[in-house]
Amino acid sequence: MLIYIGQNPYNDDGREGDLNIITCENWKDPAKVLSDSIRSHLSAEHARRFDHIVGVAQAVVMRSAVDPTPDMLKSDPLIVPVQDFWQLPVDIDNIKGKPPAVQGIVNQENFAGFLECKIFTYNTGNATIAYLGYLKKTLCAGGRR
């Protein structure tokens, strides 16, 4: 799991401020899993402070690897090109204080709905194509696996 710590936990005058952790995982509720895991190692007082000053939000990765061109492979046989998509939608509702000013971050409201839409359109399309390829290979091999 990649964790991005977005802000200094202390203000300029030394007082405690907000801290945001953004998970970049494509799985169900990674921010909740991480928060619960962190909280399980804290005393009741520290857990209260954690909930007060730390935002744990999730982001959705919207880039997939794509096939390299023959020229790319000649240049670097280990190349893994990805889609040219430079935005990282982040669950703005779980950010504490001012959202982090990071290039490419898009503050996404209704993140659960956005993620569900992404899974049912983007991921399902990829899974369907992969499954059809699997079926074609199985059928072409005479039904043998």
Side-chain angles (χ1 to χ4, degrees), residues 46-88:
H46 284 114
R48 186 194 63 72
R49 290 181 63 211
F50 175 83
D51 290 339
H52 181 70
I53 66 167
V54 178
V56 183
Q58 60 188 16
V60 61
V61 178
M62 300 284 291
R63 297 178 93 182
S64 292
V66 295
D67 286 335
T69 65
D71 289 340
M72 288 176 170
L73 289 172
K74 282 181 190 173
S75 171
D76 181 357
L78 298 177
I79 192 166
V80 180
V82 294
Q83 294 170 320
D84 190 20
F85 188 82
W86 294 96
Q87 294 180 340
L88 185 66

